[in-house]
Amino acid sequence: MNPIELKLFSSRVSAICDEMGLVLKRTSFSPNIKDRLDFSCALFGPQGELFEQAAHIPVHLGSMAFAMTGIVSNWHWQAGDMLVVNDPYLGGTHLPDVTMIAPVFSSQGNELLGFVANRAHHANIGCDTPGSMPISMSLQEEGIIIPPSFLYRQGKLQAACMNLLGFSNQELSGDFAAQVGANQIGVQRLQELVTRMGGETFRQGMYGLQEYADRIAANTLASLKPGVYTFEDFLDDDGIGNDAIPLKVSLQISKGEAVLDFSGSSPMVPGNLNCPEPVVAAAVFYCFRCLMPDESPSNIGLFRRIHIQTEAGSIVNAQRPAAVAAGNVETSTRLVDLVFGALAKALPKRIPAASQGSMNNIAVGHVNSKTQQRWDYYETLAGGIGGGPSQVGLDGVHSHMTNTLNTPVESLEMHYPLRVWRYALRKGSGGVGKNRGGDGVIREYEFLEPAQLSILTERRKFAPWGLQGGQSGETGENRLNGVPLPGKCSLAVKSGDRLVIKTPGGGGWGLPKQT
């Protein structure tokens, strides 16, 4: 393919991912998916290699790119199959993120062209704690574990998988059905594209895009100053009594390759900040993707030259049955700070200061002990982006590994017994500097009936650092009825109680201007 044809092909396959995402958004029932957009869609080659993704959630897509080859190689695939998985140690991230994978065969049904996949966050995944983001100490406490299982086999629902998911009468819940529909439209559109183009031309485009991405990555890495760059940061705590948990990275740049060694990071902790290795890969891939041109095709070619080393049994390569609920959201976000901290030594005039460093996870709900009816609410909150060499930090946005939205106040109040009294920027929370850090947000909730509240947040003790003389951003704050809460906690709340979350600001960049 010539460059123009390759660009057109890239746009066509990207549009398939976008349409999958639109179907998932428009047909789902939960605010978590239809309003917060906590989902991702992607296309993979016949060996499970990523060849296109939509601009959805970095922690979803990077981890899928790392793990898909291992998932798809273990099965004999047939047309009409659909596999579901959420097991963090078998290709998932944390249990609320449910992944569905479907093979795509040629119209004649005799050639495997690739796979479509989507991943979406479910606020209720069978955890005893409403919102399915508990203060947990083992994976089993976090909800239903779904090993790779066929939900459909040759187009037929599988009773064993339905029973595992807790569904009866051969009917899926609305959000699971929406995920199935998104994959079905992806299969259909990819088959139509291959029919129009021809199989050989399609393969040329797929592998041509990967080689193009590899050339971009080689050029980007070649622009970095060779050397070894180290950085260390600390997680606040794991909610179980372990404080100042170290994260370390050694970044070696040489010969157009990057090696990131996370040796020296904390061993696994009793709490749920532990990460499966694919989540670490997602954070690393995201950081290097930020260095590449906007028009770079998003496929595995961008990451072939990036190598990751971890120690089994560490917080960045957790082993079953370690708890991982917050590893996917909090540790992944702090790993971005860690890698950017190392990259700032190689690119001091390009890398921004630390952003808020937390997804500020709020989970709340109630289970009626008599009827077993329940409601579950979950969201992440925006904060400040770090200031950079050429711009101030953004205020009140979701940073780095999350690309979701806050739940709109109208949707939240319509679906749940909650009221939002305040939602505003937290003025002055960004670090001072030549280019200031972005401000966090303040969100105040009132509980309209008794409920169970779980909070998983970071940067409540260790502030988002500044760079080149810029000052740190403000740490976050959590308060219930004016009384400070720990960064990670679970407690019962009463009707009329008020929760205030103040999210961290971003660090400042450069020495403040003299006045």
Side-chain angles (χ1 to χ4, degrees), residues 23-24 27-30 33 82-86 95-101 118-126 144-147 149-152 157 161-162 164-167 171-184:
V23 169
L24 187 47
T27 59
S28 62
F29 284 72
S30 71
I33 298 176
M82 197 165 311
L83 183 139
V84 60
V85 60
N86 76 345
L95 298 185
D97 285 343
V98 177
T99 304
M100 288 200 188
I101 304 165
N118 71 76
R119 177 171 284 170
H121 186 108
H122 295 251
N124 177 9
I125 199 64
I144 295 173
I145 302 169
I146 310 169
S149 307
F150 280 107
L151 179 60
Y152 286 88
L157 273 171
C161 188
M162 292 288 285
L164 174 63
L165 298 175
F167 300 134
E171 288 187 8
L172 293 166
S173 72
D175 288 343
F176 275 87
Q179 287 189 259
V180 169
N183 273 1
Q184 288 173 336

Side-chain angles (χ1 to χ4, degrees), residues 150-486:
F150 280 107
L151 179 60
Y152 286 88
R153 202 67 162 136
Q154 293 183 282
K156 296 180 180 180
L157 273 171
Q158 300 299 291
C161 188
M162 292 288 285
N163 291 335
L164 174 63
L165 298 175
F167 300 134
S168 59
N169 300 323
Q170 296 294 294
E171 288 187 8
L172 293 166
S173 72
D175 288 343
F176 275 87
Q179 287 189 259
V180 169
N183 273 1
Q184 288 173 336
I185 197 68
V187 170
Q188 179 183 337
R189 294 291 185 259
L190 197 57
Q191 285 177 331
E192 292 171 351
L193 179 62
V194 174
T195 298
R196 288 198 304 271
M197 297 181 64
E200 183 58 34
T201 304
F202 171 77
R203 283 187 290 274
Q204 289 177 5
M206 180 171 60
Y207 295 118
L209 272 182
Q210 292 174 8
E211 293 306 314
Y212 175 49
D214 180 65
R215 293 195 296 273
I216 291 174
N219 185 62
T220 299
L221 292 171
S223 70
L224 302 181
K225 182 180 178 180
V228 177
Y229 308 96
T230 61
F231 199 79
E232 182 177 21
D233 207 344
F234 295 87
L235 293 159
D236 291 345
D237 63 84
D238 70 347
I240 310 293
N242 299 279
D243 300 328
I245 300 164
L247 296 174
K248 296 182 181 181
V249 68
S250 173
L251 166 64
Q252 181 177 350
I253 303 292
S254 64
K255 299 179 181 179
E257 305 272 332
V259 179
L260 295 98
D261 185 353
F262 291 90
S263 300
S265 294
S266 168
M268 291 189 302
V269 294
N272 59 17
L273 286 171
N274 305 295
C275 274
E277 196 173 31
V279 172
V280 180
V284 171
F285 292 166
Y286 166 80
C287 292
F288 281 88
R289 177 65 180 85
C290 289
L291 302 179
M292 299 176 191
D294 290 345
E295 65 274 12
S296 303
S298 296
N299 63 53
I300 198 63
L302 292 181
F303 312 126
R304 289 173 179 163
R305 299 171 182 268
I306 300 168
H307 311 287
I308 298 167
Q309 298 175 357
T310 61
E311 295 178 336
S314 69
I315 196 171
V316 292
N317 188 348
Q319 306 295 299
R320 192 185 300 276
V324 297
N328 179 60
V329 285
E330 296 304 282
T331 308
S332 71
T333 301
R334 297 297 306 281
L335 286 169
V336 171
D337 288 347
L338 189 76
V339 175
F340 274 151
L343 281 169
K345 298 179 180 181
L347 291 169
K349 299 298 184 181
R350 187 171 177 186
I351 301 299
S355 295
Q356 65 161 333
S358 178
M359 295 193 195
N360 305 292
N361 303 269
I362 311 299
V364 63
H366 178 71
V367 181
N368 187 309
S369 59
K370 293 182 179 179
T371 66
Q372 293 303 304
Q373 290 184 329
R374 63 185 286 166
W375 61 272
D376 296 80
Y377 156 75
Y378 168 76
E379 74 169 328
T380 57
L381 298 181
I385 296 287
S390 59
Q391 72 286 323
V392 300
L394 297 176
D395 301 326
V397 294
H398 286 263
S399 53
H400 298 320
M401 295 306 283
T402 179
N403 192 28
T404 63
L405 304 176
N406 293 155
T407 307
V409 173
E410 298 84 355
S411 177
L412 185 154
E413 295 184 342
M414 180 176 69
H415 287 90
Y416 308 105
L418 300 168
R419 180 175 292 129
V420 176
W421 280 95
R422 181 167 44 153
Y423 185 31
L425 290 177
R426 186 187 176 196
K427 295 292 187 181
S429 56
V432 176
K434 177 183 177 182
N435 288 317
R436 68 168 180 85
D439 288 333
V441 303
I442 303 173
R443 194 146 161 112
E444 182 176 357
Y445 310 83
E446 180 185 0
F447 303 97
L448 303 182
E449 64 178 49
Q452 183 73 22
L453 168 68
S454 297
I455 297 175
L456 291 169
T457 57
E458 269 291 319
R459 291 292 192 200
R460 269 54 182 174
K461 298 176 183 177
F462 294 94
W465 38 263
L467 277 178
Q468 304 296 321
Q471 296 181 12
S472 298
E474 293 289 334
T475 54
E477 296 180 19
N478 310 326
R479 291 178 180 268
L480 183 67
N481 300 326
V483 178
L485 292 174

